[in-house]
Every structure is written in C-alpha cells, then in structure tokens.
Amino acid sequence: MAKKQKFQSPQGMHDILPEDQGYFEKLYSTAENIAAFYGFEKIETPILEFTELYEKGTGLNTDIVEKQMFSLRTKGGDSLTMRPEFTPGVMRAFIQHGMMNLPQPVKLYSIGPVFRYESPQAGRFRQFRQVNFEVFGEKSPAIDAQVIQAFYNLLSELKFKNLVIEVNSIGASCCRPYFKKILTSYLRSRVNSLCLDCKRRVRENPLRFLDCKEEKCQPIKAQAPQIIDHLCEECNNHFKETLEFLDELGLPYRLNPYLVRGLDYYTKTVFEIFNETPSLEGTLPVALIGGGRYDNLGKVVGGKDIPACGGAAGVERIVNEMKKNKLRVSADTKKEVFLAQVGDLAKKKSLKLFEEFRKAKIPVAESLSKDSLKVQLTRADRLNVRYALILGQKEALEKTVILRDMKNGIQDTYKIEKAVSEIKKRLKRKK
Ligand code: AMP
C-alpha cells in the first residue's frame, strides 16, 4: 500500500480541483443571473463574526451552536467564530449599515464558504459553500413564495428534472410556545420509547423531535400533534397565502408537517428543496436548499423589528447531485483553436500569434513546451478543437501559417497576419 502523505487536507475540508471548477462556475453564474433578475444585490460579510452573534442569532439550542462552531480567541481577548451560516451576519450588516432606512424590501445575496464542525459522513463537510438569498423588510407571503421560486429556478436552470419543494409552517411567538407545550406533554407520556437524543430534546428543543430520523421515534411521530393544526389565525393565513402563491406559480410542492429545520430563528414558513431522481431510488434524497422566514432575528441581533425571509443553497451538495445525474456544464470556455509549432523560429512567431488571439478575445489552446508535432496534434484532438494552426520552419520563414480543419482534415495556408481574421470568419460561420 502506498505510504500516506504526511499532510492531507483537514477532515471534511476539500480541494476543488481544476476539473471540477466548471461545475462551481456554472452554479455561481446561474445564481448571479437569478439574483440580478430578482433584484438581489451582492453583500460580502467577514468570515469571522463575534461568537455571541451566532449564540443569540442561530440559537443556543441548535446543533450548530452546541457542537459545530469553529471558534477562536483573538490576542485581544475577543471570542470570534468562523461563520457557520450567512444569515446572522447579513442581518447584522443590514442593521449596522442602517439599511432599514432604504426603500424596503432590501434583497441581498452572498456566496462563499461556511464552516461547521460536523461528524464526518457522506454529503456533510466541515468547510462547504453556500449561495444565500435574503429579503429584508417585507412581511408579505408573496416574498416567501418569491424566495422559494428563485431557489427553485436556480436548480431548474441547472437542468435538475425531479425537483420537489417541501414546505411547512412552524408558527411564531404567538402560537409556537403553546404548541411546544402540547408536544412536550405528548412526548413526556412516551419518553421511555424515545431515542436518546429525543429524550434530551423533550427538555431542550422538543420541535427537533419532529425531524428525528431514528426508527424508534417514527411510530411516536406518526401519532404526534401537528403544528399546522395549532397555528394562530395570523400564521395560518400567512401559510395559506404562501401556498396559494406557490399554486399560482405552478411550483411542485408538498406539505411536510415534520419539517422544522434546525435553527431557532425561523418563524412561519420553512422549506427545503430536493432532487428526487427515480433511478437513484433507495438512496435517501438530501436537501439541496433550505430556508424560511425569520421575522424575529432582527430583534435578537440588533433590537430592531425586521421581517425577513431567505434561504441557502449548499453548493457542494448541488455539484455532487449534478455529477450523479450526469448534468453537463456547457463548456463556455471551450477552446476551438489549437496553435501548434515546430522549430525555434516557429516557436517565437507562435508566441506572438498567441497574444494576437488573446487581444481578439478568441480562446486558443497551445503546447508551447512540446516540440513534436504529433504530440501537439494528439492534444488538439483530445481537446476536440475545430481548427489547428500549424507553424513549421518553412511557414515561419515565409511568414505564413497552415490552418487545418480538424473535422475534415482540409488544410489551407494563409499569411500569418491574416490568421486571426480567418479564424474569426470561420468561427462566425460555424455559429
Ligand atoms: P442549512 O444552512 O443547514 O439550512 O443548510 C442549507 C443547505 O446547505 C443544505 O440544504 C445543504 O445543501 C447545505 N449543507 C448544510 N450542511 C452541510 C454540510 N455539512 N456539508 C455540505 N453541505 C451542507
């Protein structure tokens, strides 16, 4: 067995290699186009924030704050944490920069890495990337529907075909405490049959019982009271209207009364989006995107009442799913031209010619470090380019270049200064 290299990347943290960059770039550019269409403006917040922001914002009883934060103490004694999610930081920035004084709603998006000390398992990383859309300053359920639509479009534009949106409402401070009481007393009466985690959840965060995946808890879950039966009138209307908007938009959703999501700050609508590929049955579909409304977060973070709704798309999960479903990323940067050279003079001339193509913004592949024409043309073949430009000793002396059509093998010779315009002409014709 090969000896393990001394330094490996830290567990759960991965290199994104050149061959995978196309997937990431495609996802980011699709997200940016969608953001522009719906009026989301980009915001970048620091990777480090005060730990207290997450303790208060994300919530003390969440898995993230209990177990998953990468925290550090600065030399000055501050406790900072590497962002485990975007939302509290973006809300902090919104308040800090007085964005509530701008015309509302304010729509913001962010893209970047987040960090969670997860236990290692498939699809769970410790450093991963998220695309985040958030709308601040608007209570209307139309916004809930629009956020879901924007995320749905992100996946459908990446050509996912089997998308399902799961939605639920988890009420708000007006009705959730009462529901928690009902659920807690139901769970207390069956506490001996609960899994170990849920025994603890009864005391600390009973709602989390609803999304427990342990087999032991399933029969108890099936009989458990459901939150949508206990929503107050306002939360109930909000949910009903959100669903009406989703119907109107023709989005494929289903109600999931057990969807609660892991974070404390959600109010009213919560949602997740899955790709359920029939051919991959048996493998549990993982949520690619999750989000909801968080009308209380503004108060917790900055003492301001700011209705808000948003969500996060897990970039690595989406990329993995794109690969599993064999969704191709169109090679926008595919090179159509290869520049080959033989001999010292030709090498010099081709360096200059290469720069002329750059100025003309025509992507060209080359193998300047290779001397053998055969090796270079094999590479041109492998890159599947349409045209090869060949500069040999004779051509270099005559200031000409051979243009070879790689599809039919036909070769023509041109003056070197005509090479760019001839290629331009041919590429245009091809379109
Ligand atoms: P959350 O911020 O927990 O609501 O997650 C939003 C999305 O981020 C999920 O739907 C996943 O796609 C992705 N995600 C969450 N946790 C991880 C993780 N540990 N590794 C990779 N992706 C994750």
Side-chain angles (χ1 to χ4, degrees), residues 201-231:
R201 285 178 184 138
V202 176
R203 267 176 284 121
E204 291 170 5
N205 195 355
L207 277 190
R208 290 306 308 276
F209 155 78
L210 293 174
D211 70 2
C212 175
K213 303 281 181 300
E214 286 291 322
E215 211 162 300
K216 217 175 158 188
C217 292
Q218 302 314 305
I220 308 168
K221 230 164 96 169
Q223 307 273 316
Q226 297 197 350
I227 190 157
I228 37 175
D229 298 329
H230 298 275
L231 295 178

Side-chain angles (χ1 to χ4, degrees), residues 127-390:
Q127 176 178 340
F128 57 100
R129 287 142 194 87
Q130 288 188 330
V131 171
N132 223 60
F133 291 153
E134 335 228 21
V135 182
F136 296 90
E138 179 58 68
K139 280 194 184 119
S140 164
I143 293 297
D144 306 38
Q146 194 179 60
V147 165
I148 294 174
Q149 171 86 70
F151 278 119
Y152 178 84
N153 288 354
L154 171 63
L155 295 180
S156 63
E157 283 186 20
L158 291 171
K159 307 265 184 308
F160 284 102
K161 295 275 183 294
N162 303 290
L163 298 173
V164 176
I165 302 159
E166 291 197 344
V167 266
N168 193 21
S169 172
I170 55 167
S173 55
C174 34
C175 47
R176 194 157 65 212
Y178 177 63
F179 173 72
K180 268 192 188 168
K181 261 192 201 149
I182 298 178
L183 183 64
T184 309
S185 84
Y186 169 80
L187 293 177
R188 285 229 167 94
S189 66
R190 288 156 180 81
V191 77
N192 291 332
S193 318
L194 295 175
C195 76
L196 222 60
D197 272 343
C198 283
K199 280 192 174 118
R200 185 175 50 85
R201 285 178 184 138
V202 176
R203 267 176 284 121
E204 291 170 5
N205 195 355
L207 277 190
R208 290 306 308 276
F209 155 78
L210 293 174
D211 70 2
C212 175
K213 303 281 181 300
E214 286 291 322
E215 211 162 300
K216 217 175 158 188
C217 292
Q218 302 314 305
I220 308 168
K221 230 164 96 169
Q223 307 273 316
Q226 297 197 350
I227 190 157
I228 37 175
D229 298 329
H230 298 275
L231 295 178
C232 67
E233 197 184 346
E234 192 202 317
C235 289
N236 196 44
N237 287 343
H238 187 95
F239 192 42
K240 207 173 105 241
E241 284 170 45
T242 303
L243 298 182
E244 282 167 9
F245 280 118
L246 297 182
D247 283 329
E248 190 63 32
L249 292 166
L251 289 171
Y253 71 86
R254 66 175 171 234
L255 303 181
N256 177 357
Y258 303 123
L259 182 65
V260 290
R261 315 238 333 110
L263 313 177
D264 278 4
Y265 53 63
Y266 284 113
T267 50
K268 299 181 177 170
T269 315
V270 287
F271 70 90
E272 285 186 340
I273 310 182
F274 298 81
N275 185 51
E276 294 185 338
T277 315
S279 63
L280 299 172
E281 232 172 278
T283 57
L284 222 54
V286 287
L288 301 178
I289 291 172
R293 181 162 275 283
Y294 35 91
D295 291 343
N296 292 338
L297 183 63
K299 199 162 252 151
V300 174
V301 166
K304 300 264 190 289
D305 229 342
I306 298 156
C309 183
V315 173
E316 280 77 358
R317 288 233 188 122
I318 296 174
V319 166
N320 281 346
E321 200 67 12
M322 285 165 83
K323 288 182 179 172
K324 255 204 285 185
N325 288 269
K326 306 207 165 29
L327 302 184
R328 290 166 64 89
V329 281
S330 68
D332 293 339
T333 52
K334 183 178 172 332
K335 298 191 169 154
E336 296 282 12
V337 185
F338 189 91
L339 182 53
Q341 38 64 43
V342 193
D344 287 346
L345 186 60
K347 203 178 281 247
K348 271 186 208 137
K349 295 249 181 247
S350 62
L351 257 181
K352 187 151 176 274
L353 187 54
F354 188 59
E355 286 308 305
E356 272 161 30
F357 275 103
R358 198 186 63 77
K359 269 188 225 145
K361 297 196 170 56
I362 301 174
V364 174
E366 46 75 27
S367 258
L368 277 169
S369 59
K370 300 276 180 288
D371 293 328
S372 143
L373 184 62
K374 193 160 158 246
V375 169
Q376 293 179 68
L377 289 182
T378 311
R379 188 166 137 78
D381 240 3
R382 214 164 349 110
L383 290 173
N384 202 15
V385 296
R386 179 65 199 271
Y387 302 106
L389 287 165
I390 306 164

Side-chain angles (χ1 to χ4, degrees), residues 12 19 26 62 79 118 124 175 197 200 221 291 293 346 373 404-405 418:
E19 65 253 34
K26 175 77 187 170
T62 58
S79 174
E118 301 257 18
R124 290 211 169 270
C175 47
D197 272 343
R200 185 175 50 85
K221 230 164 96 169
R293 181 162 275 283
L373 184 62
R404 179 188 175 102
D405 186 325
K418 290 271 182 284

